[in-house]
Amino acid sequence: MLKRIITKALILLIISLIIALIIESLFMAASAKNLNKLPASVQKASKSVKQNIQRELVFQQQIDLNSDAQVDTVSIWLDKKQKKYFLSVNSSLYQPKENILQLIETEIVDIDTSDGYKEILFHYKANKLEKYVILEYNGKTLRELLNTDSKPIIDGNKEVIVERNMNFWVKKERYVLEQTTSGVRTLKLSPQELYYVGVFAYVKKPFVLYSYREQKTKLTTTKKGEKIEIVQCDPSNWFKDQSKKNNKMYDWYMIKTEKGLLGWAMLKDFINCIDIVKAQGQ
């Protein structure tokens, strides 16, 4: 008799467990179905939280960039998954084409103190070179105004001076801020016919100077040991054939001799014939 009672109790217990498992399965299925019906805003927030876990905030500053009485948030992020940096202003993003190896500085600058805009100077190291990028934010989009290997000089007078390293001298380029009738702002290069060099050198091997930027009219030949001044450079391409365009070795340089004569020579014809006089502190 006792044996029958125990058997019936075990059967009832097994049935109860089966029913409980069925109810739990139905409840989980219903919960999953309801989860898929979550509002889009909640799903978007959940996705944003997941993205934020993959991003590391490196820099942040708040400032009104376009005089609309709204504070803009300038941020630099590290995407941990892609291992890349990017800059954002509010919801607008900017990611450099180069792979950033080191972040150096982010600075707020003002190219034109009268136009109500402020710009972002983004400074980083990439592929053995330091890069300087000037960015503008117009309230909606983030746009690149200038990308250079040298630090720009900005005085608030609508011009940007960029000092480019030419190996033995520094070339100073001038960019001017212009704005179209539709409000588009650009930095436009103001070309110079000649760029000041102002470097002294000693002649270790004589070379020819020409009267003009051609190799027809010989002016004089420099003498070994004399001190010369490399006065100016013409880096333009108007006189070069197609194979020599943008080749610095074919740039013409105006050179002053010890006797005060001014003549021209191509870089390729004299660079290995001189010893540059280093300025103090170099």
Side-chain angles (χ1 to χ4, degrees):
M1 184 72 177
L2 181 60
K3 192 175 182 180
R4 287 183 180 180
I5 293 173
I6 293 172
T7 303
K8 286 182 179 181
L10 288 171
I11 293 171
L12 289 172
L13 180 61
I14 291 170
I15 293 172
S16 299
L17 289 172
I18 292 172
I19 292 171
L21 288 171
I22 293 171
I23 292 173
E24 185 179 356
S25 299
L26 292 172
F27 178 77
M28 289 178 67
S31 297
K33 188 176 181 180
N34 290 331
L35 184 63
N36 291 331
K37 291 182 179 179
L38 283 173
S41 60
V42 176
Q43 292 184 23
K44 186 176 180 180
S46 177
K47 184 178 180 180
S48 177
V49 169
K50 186 177 180 182
Q51 286 178 342
N52 288 336
I53 292 173
Q54 296 175 344
R55 294 176 181 175
E56 178 184 342
L57 181 63
V58 179
F59 168 89
Q60 194 166 78
Q61 182 175 355
Q62 291 187 322
I63 188 171
D64 185 358
L65 292 171
N66 58 322
S67 299
D68 62 355
Q70 301 292 324
V71 175
D72 302 305
T73 302
V74 181
S75 307
I76 297 179
W77 302 86
L78 171 62
D79 188 320
K80 296 178 181 178
K81 186 176 181 181
Q82 296 185 3
K83 296 182 179 180
K84 290 185 177 180
Y85 292 92
F86 64 92
L87 185 147
S88 69
V89 175
N90 302 332
S91 59
S92 298
L93 303 179
Y94 170 79
Q95 183 168 316
K97 297 176 182 178
E98 304 92 354
N99 184 24
I100 296 179
L101 302 178
Q102 178 188 351
L103 288 172
I104 300 176
E105 185 181 15
T106 302
E107 181 183 353
I108 304 300
V109 296
D110 196 350
I111 298 175
D112 180 5
T113 55
S114 66
D115 68 356
Y117 284 92
K118 289 182 175 61
E119 294 76 32
I120 303 165
L121 179 59
F122 188 26
H123 181 197
Y124 58 88
K125 188 174 182 181
N127 301 325
K128 299 181 180 180
L129 290 175
E130 289 189 23
K131 302 290 290 186
Y132 297 84
V133 181
I134 299 178
L135 300 162
E136 72 151 7
Y137 180 70
N138 62 9
K140 295 181 180 179
T141 58
L142 188 59
R143 195 168 63 88
E144 186 178 294
L145 288 177
L146 186 67
N147 189 321
T148 175
D149 297 338
S150 305
K151 185 175 183 177
I153 300 170
I154 300 170
D155 293 326
N157 61 348
K158 295 187 179 182
E159 74 174 18
V160 175
I161 305 297
V162 175
E163 297 183 341
R164 298 194 182 276
N165 183 7
M166 304 294 285
N167 294 326
F168 67 94
W169 65 286
V170 176
K171 177 184 176 186
K172 293 187 177 182
E173 294 180 343
R174 178 177 182 264
Y175 292 82
V176 179
L177 184 66
E178 296 184 353
Q179 185 168 325
T180 64
T181 53
S182 60
V184 178
R185 301 161 73 243
T186 58
L187 277 173
K188 186 177 180 181
L189 176 65
S190 296
Q192 303 172 57
E193 179 184 2
L194 301 171
Y195 290 85
Y196 177 68
V197 179
V199 170
F200 291 89
Y202 286 101
V203 177
K204 62 181 182 181
K205 182 180 178 181
F207 60 92
V208 176
L209 291 179
Y210 296 91
S211 299
Y212 310 102
R213 279 163 280 183
E214 39 90 327
Q215 292 178 307
K216 297 177 181 178
T217 311
K218 179 180 174 180
L219 174 68
T220 187
T221 299
T222 59
K223 294 181 180 180
K224 183 178 180 180
E226 77 168 307
K227 187 177 182 180
I228 61 172
E229 182 184 2
I230 306 169
V231 183
Q232 298 179 112
C233 173
D234 180 358
S236 61
N237 288 301
W238 63 268
F239 50 79
K240 300 177 185 177
D241 60 41
Q242 195 63 35
S243 63
K244 299 172 185 175
K245 286 186 182 298
N246 301 314
N247 188 334
K248 295 178 182 178
M249 296 304 292
Y250 290 89
D251 290 348
W252 283 96
Y253 284 79
M254 178 186 283
I255 294 174
K256 181 181 178 182
T257 68
E258 278 187 340
K259 293 181 179 180
L261 299 176
L262 288 172
W264 292 92
M266 278 190 187
L267 182 61
K268 71 177 183 65
D269 295 327
F270 74 85
I271 190 58
N272 294 321
C273 299
I274 60 173
D275 285 323
I276 301 293
V277 176
K278 299 293 184 181
Q280 288 186 352
Q282 288 188 319

